[in-house]
């Protein structure tokens, strides 16, 4: 008869082995002191970590300073100070500590990942200060040290943020009007490419101005860019659905593109808004 199966004895988890005390007897007094200082520095850092978790920031900084004094070659302690400054919203101090940590790390061949982390924290501090350009620079430095997907995503988001901020800072109604008038002058002189250039500048300065987009659309038609003209006239109508001139322009473009059925609707919409509009009336007769 087959023997009944006996359950395998569950192994008890092994008790953690205590690390053997390092034998320092063979070292010179200077080497022994260095080893002892490094050990004391790590102990001070761990104490600082506990104080940081307890939100005792000043005491945590003092503990990290103690660790730095004992072992000035370890960038981690300086990086830990940077973390305290960041949490305390002391962003200038945080950036200074991050950059100091990187210098110490480079001088003492710290891992690239650690140097990258310091740059990334500096990037976040610059972002908090509103200096997105510097934040992006710090991200780039971090990626040169050690590529990280999260840092890459953060940098891409910052670049988008900067692009939007730059565009918003560029908006200026007075400068838009100046560019529009220059465009009008070029248009009257039949200098179509220059008219397009000036109207495009005006659009960048005042992107929600429907009449400027209408003018740009007219100039684009003159250089046979009907797709571009359509894009801008549709945007003008989106900005101001009751802008009759834009409906008339849209109809004219659709005629040029041999889309008479669409032109018919555009002219009709314009006339619904203003039954006396000459451009829409003439356009309707052409279709």
């Amino acid at each position: 008869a087959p023997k009944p199966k006996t359950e395998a004895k569950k192994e008890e988890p092994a008790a953690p082995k205590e690390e053997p005390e390092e034998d320092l007897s063979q070292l010179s007094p200077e080497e022994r002191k260095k080893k002892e200082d490094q050990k004391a520095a790590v102990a001070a850092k761990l104490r600082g970590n506990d104080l940081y978790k307890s939100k005792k920031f000043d005491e945590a900084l003092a503990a990290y300073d103690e660790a730095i004094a004992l072992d000035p070659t370890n960038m981690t302690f300086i990086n830990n100070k940077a973390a305290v400054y960041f949490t305390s919203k002391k962003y200038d101090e945080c950036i200074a500590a991050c950059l100091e940590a990187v210098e110490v790390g480079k001088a003492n061949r710290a891992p690239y990942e650690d140097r990258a982390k310091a740059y990334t924290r500096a990037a976040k501090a610059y972002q908090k200060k509103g200096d997105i350009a510097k934040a992006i620079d710090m991200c780039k430095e971090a990626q040169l040290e050690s590529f990280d997907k999260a840092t890459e995503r953060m940098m891409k988001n910052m670049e988008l943020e900067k692009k939007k901020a730059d565009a918003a800072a560029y908006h200026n109604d007075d400068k838009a009007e100046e560019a529009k008038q220059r465009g009008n002058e070029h248009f009257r002189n039949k200098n179509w490419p220059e008219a397009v250039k000036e109207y495009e500048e005006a659009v960048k300065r005042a992107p929600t101005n429907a009449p400027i987009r209408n003018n740009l659309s007219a100039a684009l038609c003159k250089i046979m860019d009907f797709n571009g003209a359509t894009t801008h006239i549709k945007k003008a109508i989106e900005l101001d659905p009751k802008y009759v001139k834009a409906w008339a322009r849209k109809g004219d473009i659709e005629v040029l593109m041999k889309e008479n059925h669409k032109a018919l609707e555009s002219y009709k919409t314009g006339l619904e808004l203003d039954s006396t509009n000459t451009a829409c009336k003439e356009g309707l007769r052409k279709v």
Side-chain angles (χ1 to χ4, degrees), residues 223-235:
I223 61 169
M224 312 296 280
D225 181 1
F226 301 129
N227 287 329
T230 300
T231 299
H232 283 286
I233 207 62
K234 282 182 177 177
K235 185 65 182 177

Side-chain angles (χ1 to χ4, degrees), residues 10 37-38 52 99 103 132 150 177 186 237 258 267 287:
K10 284 184 181 176
D37 283 352
Q38 285 175 337
Y52 174 68
L99 298 179
E103 289 309 308
I132 304 301
E177 183 59 29
H186 287 306
I237 289 168
K258 303 193 186 310
Y267 292 135
V287 179

Side-chain angles (χ1 to χ4, degrees), residues 52-72:
Y52 174 68
K53 287 172 192 170
S54 303
K55 297 190 185 331
K56 295 178 179 177
F57 297 139
D58 288 340
E59 292 167 63
L61 288 170
Y64 293 139
D65 279 333
E66 185 185 327
I68 293 164
L70 287 161
D71 182 7

